Amino acid sequence: MNPEKLAKLQSQVRTGGKGTPRRKVKKTVKHTVKEDSKLQSTLKQLNVQPISAIEEVNMFKEDGKIINFVAPRVSASVAGNTFVVTGKSNEKGKCSDIRAPMR
């Protein structure tokens, strides 16, 4: 086999620098999202309790935009007048972008 061609093939399969193993595909490591322990300890001090059966949360901003949470985890502390909403959010521009509540 031609040494130039062999060197070209070897350079294609090396994902890192010199001394790294040769692999055909670079593997990506998926990091799991962990909630901040400091935040958890603060919420524990506030004595928040989870609220179930909340399907959607909408927060209206002063500039007219809306932050929409679908299937969020909601916790509340009535004594501290504190609500915690966690989950994936979408920012919408108009009130018409929100789906109508089911009745």
Side-chain angles (χ1 to χ4, degrees), residues 3-58:
E4 294 172 6
K5 189 175 182 182
L6 183 62
K8 182 181 175 186
L9 286 173
Q10 287 177 346
S11 67
Q12 290 175 349
V13 296
R14 189 177 299 261
T15 57
K18 184 178 177 184
T20 58
R22 295 181 183 138
R23 295 188 186 103
K24 295 212 182 245
V25 178
K26 185 175 182 181
K27 294 182 180 179
T28 57
V29 179
K30 293 184 180 179
H31 298 285
T32 57
V33 179
K34 295 182 180 178
E35 292 193 37
D36 190 17
S37 61
K38 191 172 183 180
L39 174 65
Q40 288 295 347
S41 65
T42 305
L43 292 176
K44 198 172 198 179
Q45 288 174 355
L46 291 173
N47 196 22
V48 295
Q49 300 298 322
I51 300 174
S52 60
I54 294 188
E55 298 175 6
E56 184 177 19
V57 173
N58 294 317

